[in-house]
Structures are given as C-alpha cells and as structure tokens.
Amino acid sequence: MTESVFREPTAGPRTQSVPLAHLSLELGHLYMEDFAAGPGRLRDHFAEVRFWADAARAAAARRTRGKRPRISTCFLIDDYFTRFSTPAELIPVVLAEAEKAGLVIDYLARESGCAEAGGTEPAESVLRRIVESPPPGSDGTRPPVSRTGRLANGKRTPATRSALSEAPAWQPPEETGALNHSVFMDVELWSEEKGRRLWSCPFLAAVWQLARLGLLRHLGEPVLTPRPWTGDGFPRDWDHLPPLLRLHDSAAPFSAYRTCTLLPSRFLPVESAVRLVLDQTDVDAGALRQIAERSTREGAEVPTAIAQRTTYVFYEAPVNHSDPGPT
C-alpha cells in the first residue's frame, strides 16, 4: 500500500499515514517468568493460541465480506520490567515453538519500546493526551492524572476528615454512567523508583494497542515503525535490538483497523485497565481521519470508539505450570 500525507489547513505539522491491515493478531504477550519456565511453557501457550487464532482469522474474513483479509501477527516480549536471557538465545526458541504449533510471527516487539523508541517517548506522549472524564459533582480539588499517576472511570471514595473533626458518612466509589450497578476502576499509570518513572503494565499495554491501531504519532510522524531484520542472528543485548522487528518481507502491515489479542486469563484485569486508558485518550485527529477515510473506501467497518477496535481471547493456562501473573 502506498503511503500518503495528510495536512491540516493550518500550518501545523503534517500527519503521516501508515499502511494498514484489517487485523493485527497478537499471538502472545508473555513475561520473563514465562520464558524462565522453559520451552514447555511456550509450547503449551502456542498450542492453545492456535485454535483461537484460527477463529480470529475466520471472524476477520467474515467482516471483509468475501474479500481476503490482510492479517498480520505480532508477539511482545517484556524487556522493560525484567531482563532475562538474550535476544540471541530467546528469540529463536520463541519462533521455533510458534512454528511447531503452525503459527508464524510477522512482527516481534520489545515492551521497552512502548516507553522509549528511537529518541521518542511514546508513553510520555500518550500521557499528555489523556483527557480525564470528571464524574458528576467534581469540584476540581483532586490533582490531575499528570500529577497523581492514577486514572479512574468514576467518582472515588471521598477523603476522610481529620481526627479532630466530625467524620463524614462513608460513601462508596461510583462508576460514571454505570448500567444498573457500578464497576469502579482506579488504574495506576506509573510509580517512582529511584528517581525515575516506572510505567505500569496496563499503561504500556495501552500504548502498544495504539501502535497496533496505527494511532501513535510524534510531531506527525509514526511511532514504533517496524524495521526489517536482515542479520544472520540476533544480538546478545536487548538494547541492540530495534523496538519493533518485521521478520517477513511478505507480512501484511503491522498496524490495522482492529486488533485481537490472545492471552492467558490472568491478564484480564490488566487489559480491562487498558480499555479504560483508551477510553480517555485523545488520539491524533489526523490519524483518526485517515483511518476513517481509508476504511470507508475499503468498505471496512471501524468502530468510532478506540477501545471498541480491540478484542481479546483469554484462555485458561495449563494447570501443570505455575502462574507468575503479569508484572
């Protein structure tokens, strides 16, 4: 697909478009604890994922109404929270176990690339685009998310008064726009460790979803663009590996109109938090317009809400392996 350039009528920076597939299918988002458990953990994961990957492909084909859908696959490795092994040792095992299950990984990404990639800071950029949805009755006394590092989907429990004053009656937290009953969430976006900001797993995963949806920009330029890997082997240092690799020249585009993510069920709370972040992120207007225009030309239906463009399959992990849980 040819790349085009979108320019606002004003003299602002141009928004460069990216090639788009119909579906970005993530075949795994595992942590170093999973890899430390040995090839058997990966083998079980890919064996389970294979069935759901086939179903996701069939669903994508139904949405394209008989046309062959463009589907790319990706795999995310956690090198942000912990460093285990080396790319030279680990990546060939991942690719081999996927191949044994009949799966092909088109793109391989490092989770640290969601924090810093090529001189840009995708997570910091997304943070600046968060627009909190104030619940009814807000008085502006709570500091913004840029200071607290916490994002909620409603009204928190009011702070209690000092011991010298009369304590107010307890009030529960309340989801904004709750349907019948409230499901309140309060998500930590980062913490501070040794003077540096440590982004949370849900927030980095939200950045990752925006990249897969083709909605990440820095001064109009795409962020986390795939680089081909032409070397005979992989480096022995994670920092020497590009944030996003294209492993096959014939692969469909990395970014897509929709995403589908296949994960063990222990990731359900994390990905629920991801959708909360996406619901309160004001993404690049130029990128949104490009995708809307292109999807209309192709006859591909794309939901207006960003979070609705993401789908998930959560499978139950095998009982013979310990469950480390997401970091």
Side-chain angles (χ1 to χ4, degrees):
M1 298 178 65
T2 59
E3 293 190 358
S4 60
V5 171
F6 171 87
R7 187 181 298 275
E8 291 280 359
T10 58
R14 68 183 184 180
T15 300
Q16 183 178 337
S17 68
V18 296
L20 290 168
H22 290 99
L23 179 69
S24 166
L25 181 59
E26 185 175 353
L27 301 178
H29 179 159
L30 304 181
Y31 287 83
M32 290 305 171
E33 293 88 347
D34 296 288
F35 299 119
R41 173 73 62 82
L42 286 171
R43 192 171 303 128
D44 288 343
H45 169 76
F46 286 124
E48 186 75 26
V49 159
R50 170 62 191 271
F51 299 104
W52 301 110
D54 291 343
R57 291 178 181 277
R62 182 188 64 81
R63 285 193 297 267
T64 55
R65 301 173 184 176
K67 297 180 181 178
R68 184 177 181 179
R70 300 184 301 275
I71 301 174
S72 63
T73 60
C74 58
F75 190 91
L76 186 67
I77 293 179
D78 166 34
D79 70 326
Y80 180 75
F81 294 101
T82 55
R83 292 286 175 96
F84 171 79
S85 187
T86 68
E89 296 170 337
L90 189 61
I91 295 176
V93 175
V94 172
L95 300 180
E97 293 299 335
E99 184 178 6
K100 289 177 184 177
L103 297 166
V104 175
I105 298 174
D106 296 322
Y107 298 93
L108 188 137
R110 297 166 46 209
E111 189 164 18
S112 61
C114 296
E116 194 279 329
T120 66
E121 297 181 334
E124 187 69 38
S125 177
V126 172
L127 176 64
R128 296 192 192 103
R129 287 187 167 274
I130 289 181
V131 180
E132 293 181 84
S133 301
S138 299
D139 57 9
T141 57
R142 181 176 176 83
V145 63
S146 59
R147 289 175 54 191
T148 65
R150 305 195 71 96
L151 187 68
N153 66 340
K155 186 177 181 179
R156 299 172 173 89
T157 298
T160 58
R161 299 176 184 174
S162 67
L164 299 178
S165 62
E166 182 181 353
W170 180 82
Q171 297 179 32
E174 185 177 354
E175 176 191 6
T176 301
L179 181 62
N180 296 327
H181 296 85
S182 177
V183 180
F184 179 79
M185 296 179 63
D186 194 344
V187 180
E188 185 177 27
L189 304 187
W190 76 79
S191 60
E192 296 284 345
E193 290 194 4
K194 297 180 180 179
R196 66 180 288 264
R197 182 171 289 179
L198 182 70
W199 300 105
S200 70
C201 176
F203 192 61
L204 290 180
V207 175
W208 172 236
Q209 286 286 354
L210 290 170
R212 293 170 62 199
L213 290 169
L215 294 171
L216 276 189
R217 297 292 187 278
H218 176 69
L219 299 178
E221 298 294 321
V223 179
L224 276 181
T225 55
R227 290 177 52 184
W229 185 252
T230 56
D232 295 331
F234 296 98
R236 303 196 63 81
D237 191 318
W238 289 102
D239 291 330
H240 295 163
L241 192 72
L244 179 61
L245 291 181
R246 186 179 72 238
L247 301 178
H248 303 285
D249 291 336
S250 59
F254 165 70
S255 298
Y257 294 130
R258 297 172 182 260
T259 68
C260 181
T261 304
L262 313 178
L263 293 170
S265 57
R266 69 177 188 266
F267 284 88
L268 179 56
V270 171
E271 299 302 327
S272 296
V274 168
R275 294 173 70 87
L276 186 152
V277 174
L278 296 179
D279 278 335
Q280 299 189 52
T281 300
D282 181 27
V283 299
D284 187 280
L288 277 176
R289 188 178 307 177
Q290 290 169 355
I291 291 175
E293 293 174 350
R294 192 181 305 180
S295 62
T296 298
R297 290 196 301 267
E298 285 200 76
E301 296 181 0
V302 179
T304 301
I306 302 304
Q308 296 303 318
R309 303 181 189 188
T310 65
T311 57
Y312 297 88
V313 172
F314 296 99
Y315 71 85
E316 189 61 38
V319 296
N320 60 322
H321 285 149
S322 61
D323 185 351
T327 302

